[in-house]
Amino acid sequence: MSNTSENPKPSSSSAKMTLKTSDNELFEVEEAVAMKFCTVKQYFEDEKDSDVAARGSTTVIPLPNVHSAVLATLISYGKKLPQSNAVADNHEEEETKKKERKKYEQGLLKNLMPGELLDLISAANYLDFKEGLEFFNQALADHIQNKSVEYVRKFFGIKNDYEPHEEEKYREEYAWAFEGVDED
Amino acid sequence: MKFFFQYFTSHHSRRIRKSTKRRRIRRTRRRESTPTPTPPISQITKKPPSSSTPCTTIMDLPGHTLIDILSRLPLNSILVSRCVCTTWRCLISDPLFTYFYLSRPQQPLELFLRSNSLSHVTTTLHWVDTHSILNTPPPFHPNHHQQTQLNTKLYLPLAHSDTEGSGSSSSFMDHDFSIVNSCNGILLLSKPMLNNPHIVCNPITGEFITVPKSVDDNSLWGSVVPGFGHCRKSNKFKVVRLVFRLENIFQRMTEVYTLGTASWRSIGPAPFDLDLSLFATYLNGVIHWLRVSDNEKGSIFIVGFDFEDERFNEFPLPPHFGEKHKEKENLHHLNMGVLGDCLSVCDCTFVDHMDIWMMKEYGDPTSWTKEYVISTHFGGPYRPIMLLENGDLLMIYGKRELYVYNPIERHFRFLVIHGVQSVFEAITHVPSFIPLKDAVGGDHLNVQNVKGSCSDHGFLGGPETLYLVEQGEPRNESQLPFFWGDSGEE
């Protein structure tokens, strides 16, 4: 299946791929979006090289490490990104799309449970989805920004494995960094 | 990549203790007003089975992903994260973390104040939280004032902690350093009077390196013009100094010292004579000075020394800039700095206003843009310091007063610096916690730490505390400068 660049609107691109998740759900995804997942892209290109006759919509790419709910979110995020094979929009359209994307991103983060965020990061890492990883990593960093040590430990369920005097030493070394952080 | 994976797994399994009795639990206030409470991940059990996903924990993430996440945090959160658990501390110490951290696009610029009078030795940098100033509304009544104490202090090294110099001089003048300029989280300090570059330090970590003397330091004559910068391509830090030597007291020579090497190198004669090191400003791998040429017109230029090429170049200033200055004595009504990543010059020689120009495209003199024209009652020593995150311009006036100018409303907030002394300097600096030996590299490094000699601060008359006092509501620009007459405070 060739990467058709004739088609101006990605949503009506005819090239599709099927991805199969760990819970055996099938997702039909446009090739342009699926190619953002570099792991998928690599698999697809390997398939092409091995000269398999059946391609495109009949090839099912297995993703045993990704659950359907997570993949759904990643795909929908991928759709909102600028598509590489789309015809360049004029400035106004670009601005509108940017605003839409920002709104979508904010909505996405608001409804996200912290555990889901970690699942998304883990899946984006497995899929080698660079834009997704960038976005979700930043979202997690933004969440723990300016928070106290106790909050971070509690939030992630991390056990404190410091000796008390050791921890005290590190706290005192840069005491100013520990002032003014949020407990919650 | 294997390095931190080993730390990651071995530390994690070795150090997990069954009991958590030793964990200090501070009071956890649950704020009822939080609209969307975020329960800790460890307690999430509420997902319906049909959409339940395997819950990844933070420790399941690969090390490089966690490093990516942590490197996005602001400096104080990174230092907090080091205390979360030993695994996180190891990740933060990993060279990959340093790489990610330094590659982040925006390193935030911070403001520090330092008392700068000759009679008082000052090794203290007082950190000004500009973010919280912006978020605190100004007083709404002319007679109200609010005061902010500057709590966070960093300390610069003292001369007598240098191993060679101990006991040679007890004059307090020898202990005080001028700050030449800041570059990539590191400061260059030079000895007063001579201005000979002497110490490179990171005030956050407290580490410092003494710049070696050259073998013929005793043939130096007159004052030295120093500068400090970083070469992006070769990733080296260098100190430059323009000196006169007794062999030829009419020709400035250029000498460069690359940090991590053994000695100074002479580059050759300096093409310009800079009598005074005026407004040493570092930007884009180049150190800049404001220079007045000797010709009749007294035209002013910016001279730059490129650290990578080790060459000088010159930039013209905007047309008619500083034309009012007639003699060099008036040069303190002109100044130069960096605003928002652009080289910027300020002309306060006018009676009724000041002009602030920015070179929007670095290196292109046609891109000089008169960005601000601010009315004043009469000219004076206004010096722009930095652009704040909301677009306001922070300036210092007469070494004691800070102005926060809102260019849209065209009004000022006015904060007076209060301390034991009454003369201050403002320094902008990007705080960095990267250890000097990792930042600088090289073999000939003798890194010392000022924190080992903290007790010496008693010698200097005790630590000082500075306050910022804001009196009254913001005022329009035509009311500049403000006088402190009616407050009675000192």
Side-chain angles (χ1 to χ4, degrees):
Chain A
M1 196 70 68
S2 57
N3 284 331
T4 48
S5 49
E6 314 288 321
N7 204 327
K9 294 217 177 69
S11 52
S12 61
S13 158
S14 51
K16 284 199 195 299
M17 311 178 66
T18 309
L19 307 175
K20 182 165 142 185
T21 64
S22 59
D23 47 335
N24 288 325
E25 273 203 42
L26 296 174
F27 283 80
E28 215 177 53
V29 187
E30 285 135 21
E31 196 172 296
V33 175
M35 286 298 144
K36 290 190 187 295
F37 306 156
C38 296
T39 311
V40 170
K41 183 173 173 191
Q42 191 60 50
Y43 186 101
F44 182 69
E45 280 168 4
D46 289 346
E47 285 281 289
K48 271 208 291 203
D49 288 343
S50 67
D51 208 24
V52 172
R55 293 219 191 109
S57 53
T58 56
T59 305
V60 175
I61 299 177
L63 302 173
N65 287 358
V66 186
H67 195 273
S68 53
V70 175
L71 188 63
T73 311
L74 290 178
I75 289 172
S76 103
Y77 183 75
K79 281 192 183 150
K80 293 281 190 216
L81 292 172
Q83 305 297 328
S84 48
N85 61 348
V87 164
D89 304 314
N90 65 37
H91 185 68
E92 252 183 54
E93 283 178 16
E94 235 182 84
E95 288 296 308
T96 325
K97 279 198 180 163
K98 258 194 199 161
K99 283 196 188 134
E100 270 178 33
R101 193 160 83 232
K102 265 223 126 42
K103 223 168 131 198
Y104 165 76
E105 284 172 358
Q106 282 169 1
L108 181 62
L109 291 180
K110 226 168 36 168
N111 297 327
L112 213 53
M113 300 288 275
E116 290 172 333
L117 185 52
L118 286 176
D119 290 339
L120 285 164
I121 292 175
S122 181
N125 187 51
Y126 169 75
L127 291 172
D128 199 4
F129 178 17
K130 295 191 169 54
E131 295 100 328
L133 203 55
E134 172 73 32
F135 175 68
F136 293 115
N137 278 352
Q138 186 63 50
L140 190 59
D142 289 342
H143 188 83
I144 59 175
Q145 187 168 311
N146 277 333
K147 295 285 200 278
S148 68
V149 179
E150 286 73 23
Y151 177 89
V152 174
R153 283 184 189 144
K154 204 154 174 224
F155 183 75
F156 290 120
I158 297 177
K159 279 199 159 73
N160 176 15
D161 58 349
Y162 271 111
E163 299 286 341
H165 67 268
E166 219 187 337
E167 185 181 336
E168 191 63 41
K169 182 182 86 165
Y170 284 110
R171 279 178 188 263
E172 273 175 11
E173 197 180 350
Y174 296 109
W176 52 266
F178 294 83
E179 292 163 20
V181 288
D182 300 336
E183 296 286 336
D184 191 336
Chain B
M1 296 261 172
K2 274 211 166 168
F3 171 67
F4 51 80
F5 272 114
Q6 283 170 8
Y7 261 118
F8 191 80
T9 48
S10 62
H11 273 245
H12 186 62
S13 51
R14 244 192 293 148
R15 302 236 182 186
I16 290 215
R17 298 226 184 333
K18 292 199 182 135
S19 83
T20 53
K21 279 187 281 202
R22 295 183 140 231
R23 191 199 323 189
R24 264 182 300 142
I25 302 197
R26 299 233 176 112
R27 63 182 201 289
T28 44
R29 291 174 281 124
R30 294 239 168 249
R31 294 204 198 126
E32 257 69 58
S33 55
T34 318
T36 50
T38 45
I41 291 179
S42 50
Q43 287 177 17
I44 292 174
T45 47
K46 339 183 189 160
K47 289 195 201 162
S50 57
S51 65
S52 70
T53 63
C55 218
T56 319
T57 68
I58 190 79
M59 294 314 210
D60 293 334
L61 290 182
H64 63 88
T65 305
L66 194 46
I67 283 182
D68 184 322
I69 295 169
L70 294 177
S71 70
R72 292 162 189 271
L73 292 172
L75 181 59
N76 64 335
S77 292
I78 292 176
L79 297 170
V80 163
S81 299
R82 282 191 335 159
C83 287
V84 167
C85 64
T86 56
T87 309
W88 280 30
R89 193 193 74 226
C90 292
L91 292 178
I92 289 172
S93 313
D94 193 285
L96 186 64
F97 184 92
T98 307
Y99 173 76
F100 270 115
Y101 180 75
L102 292 176
S103 65
R104 294 283 160 228
Q106 285 299 87
Q107 299 289 328
L109 200 59
E110 298 284 340
L111 176 66
F112 296 85
L113 295 176
R114 181 190 184 213
S115 294
N116 204 358
S117 77
L118 286 176
S119 62
H120 183 81
V121 183
T122 50
T123 56
T124 315
L125 290 179
H126 303 260
W127 197 327
V128 178
D129 186 353
T130 51
H131 182 77
S132 105
I133 289 176
L134 288 180
N135 287 341
T136 310
F140 51 86
H141 190 275
N143 291 337
H144 283 186
H145 72 266
Q146 57 194 21
Q147 178 170 288
T148 314
Q149 181 171 319
L150 302 183
N151 286 321
T152 307
K153 298 175 203 177
L154 304 175
Y155 298 100
L156 299 176
L158 298 172
H160 66 260
S161 47
D162 172 358
T163 47
E164 323 168 15
S166 57
S168 57
S169 168
S170 57
S171 158
F172 61 73
M173 291 286 276
D174 273 351
H175 298 312
D176 198 2
F177 288 113
S178 308
I179 297 176
V180 176
N181 67 285
S182 160
C183 166
N184 290 24
I186 302 178
L187 292 177
L188 177 69
L189 309 178
S190 71
K191 283 191 147 160
M193 304 304 267
L194 269 191
N195 229 10
N196 201 8
H198 198 62
I199 281 183
V200 160
C201 78
N202 180 335
I204 295 277
T205 61
E207 298 166 303
F208 64 97
I209 296 170
T210 307
V211 174
K213 297 195 200 304
S214 58
V215 286
D216 45 3
D217 251 16
N218 45 13
S219 76
L220 287 181
W221 181 87
S223 70
V224 173
V225 178
F228 179 58
H230 178 248
C231 309
R232 267 177 294 197
K233 279 193 226 150
S234 50
N235 194 21
K236 293 270 170 230
F237 283 92
K238 294 183 185 172
V239 181
V240 66
R241 66 181 183 185
L242 307 182
V243 298
F244 286 122
R245 291 201 169 273
L246 287 172
E247 301 89 74
N248 184 349
I249 62 172
F250 298 107
Q251 174 65 62
R252 282 247 184 222
M253 302 298 287
T254 312
E255 297 178 0
V256 173
Y257 169 68
T258 305
L259 258 59
T261 62
S263 58
W264 288 87
R265 296 173 281 124
S266 177
I267 304 292
F272 307 105
D273 180 18
L274 288 157
D275 285 346
L276 310 157
S277 68
L278 290 177
F279 312 113
T281 302
Y282 173 80
L283 182 65
N284 294 345
V286 179
I287 184 95
H288 307 81
W289 296 282
L290 215 48
R291 175 195 167 237
V292 176
S293 75
D294 293 338
N295 61 31
E296 274 174 9
K297 289 202 291 192
S299 35
I300 318 167
F301 290 92
I302 295 177
V303 169
F305 178 78
D306 183 312
F307 284 98
E308 190 77 65
D309 303 333
E310 296 186 354
R311 282 212 307 254
F312 287 91
N313 45 32
E314 200 176 283
F315 307 92
L317 283 164
H320 310 298
F321 180 81
E323 266 178 354
K324 293 251 162 188
H325 92 96
K326 297 237 173 20
E327 291 138 41
K328 284 185 190 173
E329 281 74 22
N330 273 357
L331 271 179
H332 68 271
H333 288 282
L334 303 174
N335 54 67
M336 175 167 69
V338 173
L339 289 181
D341 291 337
C342 294
L343 204 57
S344 147
V345 287
C346 174
D347 187 347
C348 301
T349 54
F350 305 104
V351 174
D352 58 352
H353 72 276
M354 67 173 133
D355 291 342
I356 300 174
W357 297 77
M358 289 168 62
M359 188 194 270
K360 297 285 192 158
E361 298 290 330
Y362 181 74
D364 179 3
T366 61
S367 72
W368 279 114
T369 311
K370 196 186 286 189
E371 194 75 10
Y372 304 93
V373 177
I374 304 175
S375 312
T376 61
H377 261 177
F378 42 86
Y382 294 95
R383 183 166 84 84
I385 303 172
M386 59 194 277
L387 280 180
L388 297 176
E389 56 203 39
N390 66 346
D392 286 358
L393 177 64
L394 181 71
M395 297 194 279
I396 189 165
Y397 174 79
K399 302 192 186 213
R400 200 174 167 212
E401 292 157 16
L402 292 177
Y403 288 81
V404 180
Y405 175 63
N406 181 323
I408 300 176
E409 310 283 325
R410 300 186 79 97
H411 68 194
F412 286 85
R413 293 179 64 174
F414 169 52
L415 299 106
V416 178
I417 309 168
H418 278 242
V420 173
Q421 303 300 314
S422 55
V423 177
F424 305 95
E425 71 177 294
I427 301 127
T428 51
H429 174 76
V430 174
S432 158
F433 72 102
I434 310 287
L436 268 184
K437 67 169 173 34
D438 292 339
V440 167
D443 302 318
H444 298 259
L445 283 187
N446 175 16
V447 182
Q448 295 165 275
N449 201 310
V450 73
K451 291 180 187 178
S453 55
C454 258
S455 54
D456 289 325
H457 293 294
F459 161 75
L460 306 168
E464 52 173 341
T465 300
L466 295 189
Y467 301 86
L468 294 181
V469 179
E470 182 170 12
Q471 170 111 9
E473 73 247 309
R475 279 161 266 199
N476 290 327
E477 58 187 82
S478 53
Q479 294 171 288
L480 269 191
F482 311 133
F483 290 108
W484 214 201
D486 37 23
S487 81
E489 286 218 38
E490 187 44 65

